[in-house]
Amino acid sequence: MSDNQLLTVKNLHVNVEDKEILHGVDLSIGTGETHVLMGPNGTGKSTLGYALMGNPRYTVTEGEIWFKGQNITEEAVDFRAKSGMFLSFQNPLEVPGVTLSSFIRSALEQKTGKRIRLWDFKKELEKTMELLQMDPSYAERDLNVGFSGGEKKKAEILQLLMLKPSLAILDETDSGLDVDAVRTVSAGIEAYQKTCDGSLLIITHSTKILESLSVDYTHVMVEGKMIKTGDASLVDEINREGFGRYENEKTE
Ligand SMILES: Nc1ncnc2c1ncn2[C@@H]1O[C@H](COP(=O)(O)OP(=O)(O)O)[C@@H](O)[C@H]1O
Ligand SMILES: [Mg+2]
């Protein structure tokens, strides 16, 4: 294992409601690396994201997850978040009664274990919202309540930039966004790559979000298995040729 190894997944088998969805997934992500995960619908990409984050509905039946040199396979979501793992949801939750601003501030305080001065926090939040072209009034609105699809995704990227995790797993953060919103979200992710030396696992079907990002590795998952890993050019190959040929390779 190289020194810059951040995440190592070994032979991961994951069950959802007693059905095995992931059948032995291996994945290594180094510090500062950007990985793209592609694959047909229903193949287990989101399941991998949830299992990495420690969602209790996703049971690891075999294999291990190592993060920052620690075996975290049995650790709870909370522990993983504090260690610097972040998952942006495909469908972000609405939380009535908690404003976007207070949600991010308390997440930051939990992560660092320190109180954060309100003035400093507000300044940074304002600056980051500007980068994401978010109306400042959203900071005081209840988290995701009445947000459009695009606004929810921007709110996720805002959390990413404020929390500065070591590893961000973005699950179809670009789906359902118009071209301008994709560009803004992509600029936010680029800022995370550059300013936080952050590592990324980007689950996506589209190449738009990747245009301004440098991608180190692309993985293809089919039916709960990683069947191919390549460089950034694999994204284009898949978009040209689809997943069909990999599905055939799998049965050969
Ligand atoms: N919470 C869940 N309850 C029941 N089935 C689930 C749940 N999450 C995932 N699955 C099933 O696991 C399989 C993989 O789903 P998912 O990981 O969402 O695929 P992908 O993200 O690649 O589209 C699907 O058959 C899906 O129905
Ligand atoms: Mg999914």
Side-chain angles (χ1 to χ4, degrees), residues 46 90 171-172:
S46 295
Q90 200 168 343
D171 192 355
E172 300 198 24

Side-chain angles (χ1 to χ4, degrees), residues 111-123:
K111 187 176 169 226
T112 58
K114 287 190 219 133
R115 302 262 322 146
I116 295 159
R117 280 179 51 202
L118 188 59
W119 195 83
D120 295 339
F121 173 77
K122 291 244 152 130
K123 273 272 161 265

Side-chain angles (χ1 to χ4, degrees), residues 132-215:
L132 294 172
Q133 300 181 7
M134 292 177 82
D135 188 308
S137 66
Y138 276 82
E140 300 313 320
R141 283 181 52 177
D142 286 0
L143 182 63
N144 291 328
V145 177
F147 285 26
S148 73
E151 288 160 354
K152 285 182 184 172
K153 298 297 166 85
K154 282 189 184 181
E156 296 270 297
I157 300 302
L158 179 65
Q159 290 166 48
L160 172 71
L161 287 170
M162 293 296 295
L163 292 172
K164 304 179 177 62
S166 317
L167 173 67
I169 304 160
L170 306 181
D171 192 355
E172 300 198 24
T173 301
D174 48 346
S175 72
L177 297 184
D178 65 43
V179 281
D180 293 329
V182 169
R183 215 168 283 138
T184 310
V185 162
S186 182
I189 298 171
E190 194 184 356
Y192 164 74
Q193 262 184 339
K194 290 193 175 140
T195 59
C196 311
D197 196 24
S199 301
L200 283 156
L201 178 62
I202 303 177
I203 302 172
T204 185
H205 289 295
S206 118
T207 50
K208 269 266 160 265
I209 197 157
L210 303 174
E211 271 168 14
S212 62
L213 304 175
S214 61
V215 171

Side-chain angles (χ1 to χ4, degrees), residues 16-17 19 21 40-48 57-58 90:
V16 181
E17 288 168 7
K19 184 174 170 229
I21 307 291
N41 290 324
T43 217
K45 303 180 298 297
S46 295
T47 298
L48 177 62
R57 289 179 73 180
Y58 297 76
Q90 200 168 343

Side-chain angles (χ1 to χ4, degrees), residues 4 28-36 193 197-202 210 213-219 229-235:
N4 87 334
S28 291
I29 299 182
T31 303
E33 288 177 0
T34 295
H35 292 238
V36 171
Q193 262 184 339
D197 196 24
S199 301
L200 283 156
L201 178 62
I202 303 177
L210 303 174
L213 304 175
S214 61
V215 171
D216 299 299
Y217 297 96
T218 306
H219 310 276
T229 292
D231 58 20
S233 67
L234 186 54
V235 176

Side-chain angles (χ1 to χ4, degrees), residues 7 46-56 58 65 72 75-89 167-169:
L7 175 82
S46 295
T47 298
L48 177 62
Y50 285 124
L52 291 178
M53 201 65 222
N55 183 318
Y58 297 76
I65 304 167
I72 59 157
E75 301 292 347
V77 179
D78 212 44
F79 180 91
R80 299 180 200 209
K82 275 188 193 152
S83 320
M85 210 188 264
F86 174 93
L87 174 65
S88 145
F89 298 102
L167 173 67
I169 304 160

